[in-house]
């Protein structure tokens, strides 16, 4: 009986083999470099607690806790010439925000962005991801955002149209910690 069971198992496995050979290979799951995971770090700072400090060159965002500590997150930043510089305030916060490409994005890459000129509703396939913090300067929207992304592999790179990208789970954590009116400084 055991021999018959082994034989049948082998026959069934052989019959399934051609289908397995035709199946698409499984995608490797994305794993973020541990250096870009949220973590508390030493941060000698003259910034007030609650200030968001972004260092685009090192691809990190810091939420200042006190004069010596910050919560650090890995980010994706704007390509050269498209990044926000200076200081701003969080003027608006949105859960699953609606996305509309800027006129500059549409004129630079019409084949990619013109079809979205009317905007994209919030949700898991929206380029702004799960949360967005809108940067305002002098009471006006700068059109720069700290937001989630549908492209987590872009964290640690200069790839965006100027905004600061974060892993969705990370931007959700930051969103919960940062109030409206918080200061943001891009160094």
């Amino acid at each position: 009986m055991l021999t018959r069971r082994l034989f049948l198992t082998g026959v069934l496995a052989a019959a399934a083999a051609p289908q397995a050979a035709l199946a698409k290979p499984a995608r490797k799951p994305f794993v973020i470099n541990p250096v870009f995971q949220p973590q508390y770090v030493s941060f000698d700072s003259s910034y007030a607690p609650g200030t968001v400090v972004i260092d685009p060159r090192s691809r990190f965002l810091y939420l200042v806790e006190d004069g010596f500590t910050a919560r650090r997150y890995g980010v994706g930043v704007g390509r050269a010439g498209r990044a926000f510089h200076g200081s701003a305030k969080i003027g608006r916060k949105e859960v699953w925000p609606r996305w509309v490409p800027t006129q500059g994005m549409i004129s630079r890459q019409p084949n990619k962005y013109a079809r979205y000129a009317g905007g994209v509703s919030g949700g898991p396939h929206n380029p702004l991801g799960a949360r967005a913090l809108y940067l305002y300067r002098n009471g006006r929207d700068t059109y720069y955002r700290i937001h989630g992304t549908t492209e987590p592999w872009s964290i640690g790179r200069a790839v965006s149209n100027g905004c600061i990208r974060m892993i969705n789970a990370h931007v959700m954590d930051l969103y919960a910690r940062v109030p409206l009116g918080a200061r943001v400084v891009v160094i």
Side-chain angles (χ1 to χ4, degrees), residues 101-153:
T102 65
Q103 285 300 95
M105 291 167 69
I106 293 169
S107 63
R108 277 192 306 274
Q109 294 180 288
N111 292 340
K112 184 174 183 178
Y113 295 115
R115 64 184 163 181
Y116 302 116
V120 176
S121 296
H125 302 292
N126 181 306
L128 291 182
R131 304 288 183 275
L133 301 142
Y134 294 71
L135 303 185
Y136 279 64
R137 186 182 278 160
N138 301 320
R140 298 183 65 180
D141 189 352
T142 63
Y143 296 99
Y144 288 97
R145 320 277 184 246
I146 299 169
H147 64 81
T149 184
T150 56
E151 300 174 342
W153 55 88

Side-chain angles (χ1 to χ4, degrees), residues 31-40 60 72-74 167 170:
V31 178
I32 189 168
N33 182 329
V35 75
F36 294 123
Q37 290 285 5
Q39 54 197 283
Y40 288 98
F60 290 119
R72 185 180 77 188
Y73 303 84
I167 299 279
H170 301 175

